[in-house]
Amino acid sequence: MATAIIGIAGSADVAAQTSTMQTRARPALPIPVPMVGVTTDSISNVSAIVASLNSINAVPTTRIVFDENIPAADYRDATVKIRNVSYVMGEILDSFYVKTYSVQDYLNRTSEYLSELGDVVDIWEVGNEINGEWLGNNQDVVAKMTGAYDLVKAQGKTAELTLYYNQDCWSRPQNEMFTWANQNVPPRMKQGLDYVLISYYEDDCNGLQPDWPQVFKKLSVMFPNSKIGFGEVGTRKKGKKAEYINRYYSTRINVPNYVGGYFWWYFKQDMVPNTKTLLQTLNSAIVKP
């Protein structure tokens, strides 16, 4: 999902906030199942983000979208604060911007972020919506994905890949999710990825509600050692947001290694500050262990 360009929290922004509240102990690994994921595409007003994360009934995993052309050091303060109340998944680069980076630039970016944030990011998203038709030259896309994966695993870190579910809503058949993954994800990743998650937007796919147990069953066969689930969901339709949150976060799928996730893309917009109604919708929808 293309990132909304929202300013990085600077010193003035931080100074304007009240001190970061923390009512739960810093979450200890491993990440519990079911995983309750949310996505923030901005770290502005980080104190309010932290307060909302603290208001989620289960300890969440926060997917931070690292914006293009932003140094990793600019995310240090906010990521530390978010990690104090949440697990963290770091999205190395949003799919919309992958084509703007050369292979070497993508790998350099991965190395930079690993070096700066390796102690506060629990899961590294080595490719976002990786089979999307907008990511650029396929050979380069594969090189970026595999290179980032190798860098993450060489440091003993946890690697995650996000696929884009596009049943009957692709333009090129070679980009259909399972076709692309089968042809382009190498055996070492099919065996070694820690997480494989699916990005899905009903708005982009004619409102289709797939047979998710069958989808995840097939995914679990292709990635037998990976935890699987949803890595990105959401809608721009204001009147549909509560419906979608309820539908996805309450989903139970009886497939080996299914962990949930969901990672609502619009967490910052819809659930910050913590007085927003949709945060309570999320709490009501969360599947309890």
Side-chain angles (χ1 to χ4, degrees), residues 202 209 242-251 262 285:
E202 295 178 32
Q209 294 180 39
E243 176 188 334
Y244 284 26
I245 290 168
N246 276 311
R247 176 157 63 246
Y248 285 101
Y249 282 86
S250 63
T251 295
Y262 314 106

Side-chain angles (χ1 to χ4, degrees), residues 165-193:
Y165 192 77
N166 54 359
Q167 179 185 337
D168 300 327
C169 52
W170 38 259
S171 297
R172 299 193 300 265
Q174 63 267 31
N175 287 86
E176 186 275 325
M177 186 182 81
F178 284 110
T179 300
W180 192 96
N182 185 57
Q183 294 177 352
N184 294 286
V185 180
R188 70 181 185 280
M189 291 183 66
K190 286 175 178 168
Q191 296 296 318
L193 277 160

Side-chain angles (χ1 to χ4, degrees), residues 17 33 35 39 47 102 119 161 175 200 202 213 233 254 256 260 285:
Q17 308 305 321
V33 176
M35 174 189 279
T39 300
S47 295
S102 70
D119 61 324
L161 181 68
N175 287 86
Y200 182 60
E202 295 178 32
V233 298
N254 186 23

Side-chain angles (χ1 to χ4, degrees), residues 12-168:
D13 174 74
V14 173
Q17 308 305 321
T18 57
S19 59
T20 301
M21 296 174 59
Q22 183 177 343
T23 59
R24 60 166 65 107
R26 187 178 191 271
L29 293 170
I31 297 172
V33 176
M35 174 189 279
V36 177
V38 294
T39 300
T40 183
D41 64 353
S42 166
I43 56 168
S44 63
N45 199 354
V46 67
S47 295
I49 293 172
V50 167
S52 287
L53 293 171
N54 234 344
S55 300
I56 297 175
N57 289 342
V59 179
T61 299
T62 306
R63 179 167 172 261
I64 303 175
V65 180
F66 297 137
D67 278 346
E68 71 287 354
N69 304 318
I70 300 298
D74 287 11
Y75 282 96
R76 178 74 196 177
D77 179 72
T79 305
V80 168
K81 289 176 179 176
I82 290 170
R83 184 59 184 84
N84 281 336
V85 297
S86 166
Y87 301 103
V88 171
M89 181 161 76
E91 184 187 280
I92 292 170
L93 187 64
D94 184 79
S95 66
F96 186 79
Y97 299 99
V98 169
K99 65 183 177 183
T100 69
Y101 277 67
S102 70
V103 172
Q104 191 57 57
D105 286 343
Y106 191 88
L107 301 186
N108 290 346
R109 177 181 172 88
T110 302
S111 295
E112 176 196 350
Y113 273 77
L114 279 167
S115 177
E116 181 67 36
L117 302 174
D119 61 324
V120 286
V121 171
D122 303 296
I123 303 171
W124 290 93
E125 185 176 6
V126 299
N128 172 244
E129 298 179 326
I130 198 68
N131 59 299
E133 296 171 271
W134 56 92
L135 274 74
N137 176 275
N138 192 65
Q139 183 177 352
D140 288 350
V141 171
V142 173
K144 293 169 189 176
M145 171 189 72
T146 56
Y149 171 80
D150 290 339
L151 287 168
V152 168
K153 297 307 286 185
Q155 294 196 20
K157 305 296 185 182
T158 298
E160 182 271 335
L161 181 68
T162 301
L163 299 169
Y164 179 69
Y165 192 77
N166 54 359
Q167 179 185 337
D168 300 327

Side-chain angles (χ1 to χ4, degrees), residues 35 37 63 89 160 162-163 165 196-201 210 212-213 215-216 219 227-233 247-249 251-253 258-264:
M35 174 189 279
R63 179 167 172 261
M89 181 161 76
E160 182 271 335
T162 301
L163 299 169
Y165 192 77
V196 177
L197 306 177
I198 291 175
S199 169
Y200 182 60
Y201 290 87
W212 288 122
V215 171
F216 283 107
L219 196 70
K227 298 179 177 68
I228 57 177
F230 288 94
E232 198 172 317
V233 298
R247 176 157 63 246
Y248 285 101
Y249 282 86
T251 295
R252 294 172 172 84
I253 296 178
Y258 179 81
V259 296
Y262 314 106
F263 292 92
W264 186 257

